Amino acid sequence: MGSEAPPLAAADLELLERVAARIVELHLEVPAILTLEGGRPLSLLASQSMIFFEPIVTALFRLDGYRRFAALVERRETIDHLTRLIEARAEQARAARRAAPAPRAPRGH
């Protein structure tokens, strides 16, 4: 019988929030969700691959929380949580765009 994983820590939740916010900011919600859902069976392999490539990635990019995120990817409930966060943020962004007034066209002379 397997033991239940401990709940996500506050720092983990904050990291997932930042990742979701950045994905939505870049308008990559659909590819991100498809990748998360499609890669769910390979989450352990994905996590280990991220750890393998960490020296290269961190040499090229400044990524706070990279190793923590790699460890979180191993947990399937993290994938579910991140997917929900992305969907919620994307919906908020769509609602904000709908509520914003339409830009006026400049008047020609």
Side-chain angles (χ1 to χ4, degrees), residues 20-35 86 90:
R22 185 67 176 146
I23 287 170
V24 173
E25 179 182 312
L26 295 172
H27 302 286
L28 295 173
E29 4 355 308
V30 172
I33 290 172
L34 287 173
T35 301
I86 293 168

Side-chain angles (χ1 to χ4, degrees), residues 82-94:
L82 182 56
T83 301
R84 286 191 304 272
L85 286 173
I86 293 168
E87 289 171 342
R89 284 195 172 263
E91 184 55 40
Q92 290 171 353
R94 281 191 294 273

Side-chain angles (χ1 to χ4, degrees), residues 52-61:
F52 177 79
F53 287 112
E54 180 181 12
I56 297 167
V57 171
T58 55
L60 297 173
F61 306 104

Side-chain angles (χ1 to χ4, degrees), residues 5-19 36 40 43-44 46-48 50-51 64-82 85:
L8 294 172
D12 297 338
L13 295 172
E14 191 271 331
L15 176 62
L16 293 176
E17 285 281 349
R18 285 194 342 243
V19 169
L36 289 169
R40 182 185 304 274
S43 60
L44 179 62
S47 172
Q48 296 304 307
M50 287 179 71
I51 291 170
D64 297 332
Y66 183 86
R67 182 166 287 218
R68 180 182 289 268
F69 186 73
L72 286 172
V73 170
E74 287 183 16
R75 299 173 58 176
R76 292 196 179 190
E77 69 272 9
T78 302
I79 303 297
D80 294 334
H81 187 76
L82 182 56
L85 286 173

